[in-house]
Amino acid sequence: MNPDAFVKRGFAFIVGGMVAVSAYYQASGVSHLIAHQIARDGAPPAPAATAPDEAPLSEDRSPSAAPILERNPFDSVTGPLVPPPSEALAGQADPSHLDPYLAPPCDTGRVVLIAVSEDPEWSFAAVEAEGGRTALGRRGGQIGGRKLEHIAWDRVWMTSGGARCQMQLGKKSGNDAKKAPEPQSRAPDPPHVTPARASGKSDVPPEIASRMKRVSETEIDIERSAAEKIFEQPEIVTNTSAAIPEMRDNQVVGLKMTIKPGSVLESFGLQSGDLVKSINSIDLTDPQKAMMAYTRMRSDKSLSVVVERDGRPVRLKVNIR
């Protein structure tokens, strides 16, 4: 049969069937919509939707490594890499750990002498502790229950129990500064002896110069009271002289002296340019031995100082009577 002839004959039936099918599906969809609406109206209201805890990452938001640092998945022993807020605040509460010059002054003690060298191992500080006793120390040593942390040209820093304090040269610390100085009775003048220097300007205090007597060019006598005064006031020596470690072949061979004319050390027979090798047979090529020599000088009855002068050894002697 010819399809065109069939369509022409049954055109009305074909259109009517399509309309019927369309009407059926339309009626079916409308009935489903009505049933859904009736069911929603009769159901209880649904709870309001809550926003998610964290907003989704937008394209403008920069990524952060904080979650990784807080979790620290690379090490199960160390724990989080970011310290807790309490520790961070504790570190910020003490600015002296950031800037040592903001450290508070030490409550006791006084720095009476500082000898600074380019090599920190050869830097020394004499600190007067409680009781008036002076102890010589270098970096890392213990003085009066504190650790000597660092030595500068005008101050030292001490630590105790994690707390840091500072002492300035010549200034008394907190509690010591508040104490009123006790009156001291003036000792009677001793019998006059021949001073070590007969002429020229002298920086030696008269009460010390009058207690010294020259025996020879390399030997001198000094009374114990005058020697004690020098130990109690080391600035008498440090203000007029300096000792610097002398290096040869990368080794310290002694202390090179720079001495002001008319000073105490010149009265003892030392000269500028002398290389001090030993004191009372204690070698001064090691900082620890140099500290030992200083500690023993106060109790020794005599000082035997070996220096190198113009390439030859010279022995100087100081008798403490």
Side-chain angles (χ1 to χ4, degrees):
M1 178 182 291
N2 190 353
D4 293 338
F6 176 77
V7 171
K8 289 179 180 179
R9 290 180 182 180
F11 178 76
F13 296 99
I14 295 174
V15 173
M18 294 178 63
V19 171
V21 172
S22 177
Y24 169 78
Y25 281 112
Q26 183 176 8
S28 178
V30 171
S31 63
H32 280 292
L33 290 176
I34 294 174
H36 177 71
Q37 183 65 34
I38 294 174
R40 192 176 71 171
D41 293 342
T50 58
D53 293 338
E54 295 183 0
L57 184 64
S58 63
E59 297 181 356
D60 297 336
R61 182 178 175 184
S62 59
S64 173
I68 298 177
L69 296 178
E70 293 175 358
R71 188 169 60 252
N72 190 12
F74 308 106
D75 189 352
S76 61
V77 178
T78 305
L81 299 179
V82 179
S86 58
E87 296 183 6
L89 293 176
Q92 297 176 0
D94 187 4
S96 66
H97 287 278
L98 302 177
D99 187 352
Y101 285 91
L102 297 179
C106 298
D107 52 359
T108 58
R110 181 173 70 100
V111 182
V112 296
L113 177 142
I114 292 179
V116 180
S117 173
E118 294 181 358
D119 185 355
E121 296 298 322
W122 281 92
S123 295
F124 298 95
V127 179
E128 182 183 279
E130 295 184 4
R133 298 295 298 177
T134 301
L136 185 70
R138 59 193 181 110
R139 188 179 64 175
Q142 295 285 336
I143 299 180
R146 296 190 183 97
K147 180 181 178 181
L148 186 56
E149 182 185 33
H150 186 68
I151 302 175
W153 69 273
D154 65 336
R155 69 191 68 201
V156 301
W157 285 270
M158 315 283 287
T159 56
S160 177
R164 174 190 290 162
C165 64
Q166 60 176 314
M167 295 183 189
Q168 294 190 34
L169 179 63
K171 289 188 178 181
K172 291 187 176 181
S173 301
N175 295 339
D176 295 338
K178 297 178 182 178
K179 297 178 182 179
E182 298 180 358
Q184 299 180 355
S185 57
R186 184 175 180 272
D189 294 334
H192 179 73
V193 295
T194 304
R197 290 178 57 88
S199 62
K201 183 179 179 181
S202 175
D203 291 322
V204 183
E207 62 272 18
I208 296 178
S210 60
R211 291 174 171 85
M212 293 190 301
K213 182 180 180 180
R214 172 70 59 190
V215 178
S216 66
E217 290 295 326
T218 59
E219 185 175 358
I220 190 173
D221 293 342
I222 182 172
E223 296 183 11
R224 172 67 64 178
S225 59
E228 287 292 337
K229 195 172 187 66
I230 295 175
F231 280 106
E232 292 172 0
Q233 301 179 12
E235 60 270 15
I236 296 175
V237 174
T238 57
N239 290 343
T240 57
S241 61
I244 301 175
E246 178 80 1
M247 301 287 294
R248 294 177 184 173
D249 297 329
N250 296 326
Q251 290 184 347
V252 177
V253 295
L255 301 178
K256 196 79 168 183
M257 302 301 301
T258 302
I259 299 174
K260 181 180 179 181
S263 63
V264 171
L265 293 187
E266 189 189 53
S267 300
F268 289 172
L270 287 167
Q271 299 178 8
S272 284
D274 283 351
L275 184 66
V276 181
K277 307 281 286 186
S278 66
I279 298 177
N280 286 356
S281 301
I282 299 178
D283 192 6
L284 299 185
T285 59
D286 180 81
Q288 193 67 32
K289 293 180 180 179
M291 289 180 56
M292 184 190 305
Y294 175 85
T295 304
R296 289 180 51 179
M297 279 193 298
R298 191 161 190 169
S299 58
D300 288 341
K301 295 181 179 180
S302 64
L303 302 178
S304 178
V305 184
V306 176
V307 303
E308 180 183 305
R309 180 181 297 169
D310 299 329
R312 60 185 182 87
V314 177
R315 184 180 297 273
L316 306 174
K317 190 174 182 180
V318 179
N319 302 312
I320 304 175
R321 305 187 182 280

